[in-house]
């Protein structure tokens, strides 16, 4: 197995694939978003889905399950009032009300460890339903 990064607080491991996909998103701009999930059996944080550069925020929102937790990173491109092109990386902790309590606790306690591995995140959102992570929230934070 490839090297993994251990998250000390929960004993979870972040796979190399997570770090590699994040670096490709951050530096090469080959992904618009990445969705991560925790495999409770193997205690690994893995890549669940990757959105190509042509995909958008609606595709990310549609890829999140209605009844299970996930982490996501979204690359938001925008133009400032000074007409400068910018890009900000958003970390989203998705924990819908319909998900199991055990999953909510596991994702909440593992979040800090994953964030340490994903260096360069600009903003973080915690969402329990789609309105808490809507595009209006993203735009407002990115100002």
């Amino acid at each position: 197995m490839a090297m993994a990064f251990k998250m000390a607080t929960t004993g979870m491991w972040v796979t190399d694939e997570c770090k590699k996909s994040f670096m490709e998103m951050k530096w090469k701009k080959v992904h618009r978003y990445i969705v991560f999930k925790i495999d409770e059996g193997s205690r690994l944080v893995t890549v669940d889905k990757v959105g190509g550069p042509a995909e958008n925020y609606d595709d990310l929102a549609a890829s999140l399950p209605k009844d299970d937790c996930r982490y996501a990173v979204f690359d938001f491109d925008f133009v400032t009032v000074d007409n400068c092109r910018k890009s900000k990386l958003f970390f989203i902790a998705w924990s819908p009300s319909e998900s199991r309590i055990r999953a909510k606790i596991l994702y909440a306690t593992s979040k800090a460890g994953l964030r340490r591995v994903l260096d360069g995140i600009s903003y973080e959102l915690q969402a329990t339903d789609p309105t808490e992570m809507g595009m209006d929230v993203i735009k407002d934070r990115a100002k």
Side-chain angles (χ1 to χ4, degrees), residues 65-101:
K66 306 243 184 286
D67 61 351
D68 201 6
C69 302
R70 293 289 187 274
Y71 302 118
V73 177
F74 177 68
D75 187 3
F76 178 58
D77 294 325
F78 62 101
V79 178
T80 67
V81 291
D82 301 329
N83 207 24
C84 295
R85 296 182 57 88
K86 293 218 172 192
S87 178
K88 297 287 181 183
L89 295 175
F90 280 80
F91 180 87
I92 301 167
W94 174 246
S95 183
S97 329
E98 296 82 20
S99 59
R100 297 172 306 134
I101 299 225

Side-chain angles (χ1 to χ4, degrees), residues 29-52:
K29 302 290 186 185
V30 295
H31 310 305
R32 175 64 58 201
Y33 65 86
I34 306 168
V35 178
F36 303 98
K37 74 176 191 175
I38 296 176
D39 182 336
E40 291 183 43
S42 65
R43 304 192 63 77
L44 291 173
V45 178
T46 60
V47 173
D48 187 33
K49 183 172 183 353
V50 175

Side-chain angles (χ1 to χ4, degrees), residues 57 90-93 123-127 132-133 137-138 141:
Y57 189 74
F90 280 80
F91 180 87
I92 301 167
Y123 302 100
E124 180 177 323
L125 297 174
Q126 172 74 40
E132 294 176 349
M133 56 175 259
V137 175
I138 299 282
R141 288 273 182 98

